[in-house]
Amino acid sequence: EDQVTQSPEALRLQEGESSSLNCSYTVSGLRGLFWYRQDPGKGPEFLFTLYSAGEEKEKERLKATLTKKESFLHITAPKPEDSATYLCAVSFSGGSYIPTFGRGTSLIVHP
Amino acid sequence: DTGVSQDPRHKITKRGQNVTFRCDPISEHNRLYWYRQTLGQGPEFLTYFQNEAQLEKSRLLSDRFSAERPKGSFSTLEIQRTEQGDSAMYLCASSSWDRGETQYFGPGTRLLVL
């Protein structure tokens, strides 16, 4: 069964301390990989869509990369306002278009 | 784009009551999705519409849940005879085929069943 696994479950960083979040997947054909940010009590906010291995996208302090089996969300010099849960979702070819979500990584950035 | 909107934002009900939630998608999006999310989990797929047609339902979706999307615009999700286990955040998302199927989410409806 196709699955999406995110690690770590929780991450605490000091302001300015760069790090990476991981999203790995077992796949029978990738259609797209999606990253979202979710603040407590709110709906997920779209960040990036990646379609093929080697693809990279950037937005402010965030950079998403994709390989054949995993994606990384790199956070450079994070600020306290980057604190949130980061969700990864993957849609697979050969099935429905419905993305499967991981459980997310809860990020806290201390000032 | 005004974004995806959901109403109400919060709902408290007693066990056994029926509740209905509304979702208004981004206007040019033809696909609409309902998800449920509990604390510490990612969104869990419930059902999906393309225009007015309901194309897929989760095998986990109880018969007490029903969704409609009349005329392919807004959608409603009804839960009959609510149970305490139905307490969760109910999320709606919409997407467009020609935008790579990226889903855009609404703010969610937080349901508490007492």
Side-chain angles (χ1 to χ4, degrees):
Chain A
E1 182 178 335
D2 297 323
Q3 286 192 337
V4 180
T5 304
Q6 291 189 246
S7 62
E9 289 187 9
L11 181 63
R12 292 177 178 268
L13 299 173
Q14 288 296 128
E15 184 172 1
E17 180 186 1
S18 300
S19 188
S20 297
L21 314 182
N22 178 264
C23 173
S24 63
Y25 51 91
T26 58
V27 62
S28 50
L30 178 72
R31 286 183 63 90
L33 185 141
F34 311 89
W35 282 101
Y36 292 86
R37 170 194 169 122
Q38 187 173 29
D39 293 303
K42 297 187 177 180
E45 174 189 348
F46 170 70
L47 294 174
F48 304 109
T49 302
L50 302 167
Y51 294 105
S52 57
E55 191 174 358
E56 299 182 351
K57 290 192 177 175
E58 287 188 68
K59 178 181 179 181
E60 296 180 352
R61 295 177 293 282
L62 300 177
K63 179 180 178 179
T65 62
L66 181 64
T67 71
K68 288 186 177 180
K69 291 295 182 183
E70 59 190 348
S71 176
F72 291 94
L73 184 65
H74 306 277
I75 304 176
T76 301
K79 298 181 178 181
E81 53 262 42
D82 294 322
S83 298
T85 295
Y86 290 85
L87 294 165
C88 169
V90 181
S91 64
F92 304 102
S93 62
S96 75
Y97 302 114
I98 313 302
T100 300
F101 278 82
R103 297 177 65 172
T105 293
S106 174
L107 173 66
I108 297 176
V109 182
H110 296 285
Chain B
D1 287 343
T2 57
V4 178
S5 62
Q6 292 185 245
D7 184 70
R9 295 292 308 279
H10 304 275
K11 179 70 177 180
I12 300 174
T13 191
K14 293 182 179 179
R15 187 175 52 187
Q17 298 295 305
N18 299 345
V19 294
T20 300
F21 309 142
R22 176 179 171 126
C23 171
D24 287 89
I26 294 171
S27 57
E28 64 267 28
H29 286 183
N30 61 342
R31 293 180 173 172
L32 186 148
Y33 313 77
W34 285 100
Y35 288 85
R36 175 172 60 193
Q37 186 178 28
T38 54
L39 196 62
Q41 303 293 317
E44 174 190 30
F45 170 72
L46 295 178
T47 190
Y48 149 63
F49 290 84
Q50 181 160 304
N51 299 314
E52 66 276 8
Q54 187 174 18
L55 297 186
E56 191 166 338
K57 292 170 62 174
S58 168
R59 290 170 295 176
L60 302 176
L61 197 62
S62 161
D63 289 344
R64 298 183 295 104
F65 287 70
S66 62
E68 294 182 341
R69 192 183 182 197
K71 302 180 181 179
S73 56
F74 71 92
S75 175
T76 58
L77 177 69
E78 181 182 17
I79 309 174
Q80 296 182 326
R81 305 181 301 282
T82 53
E83 302 173 356
Q84 288 184 327
D86 296 330
S87 296
M89 173 78 91
Y90 289 84
L91 295 164
C92 175
S94 67
S95 71
S96 174
W97 169 260
D98 60 1
R99 287 195 176 186
E101 301 169 28
T102 296
Q103 296 175 322
Y104 294 86
F105 283 83
T109 295
R110 171 76 67 186
L111 173 66
L112 177 61
V113 182
L114 301 176

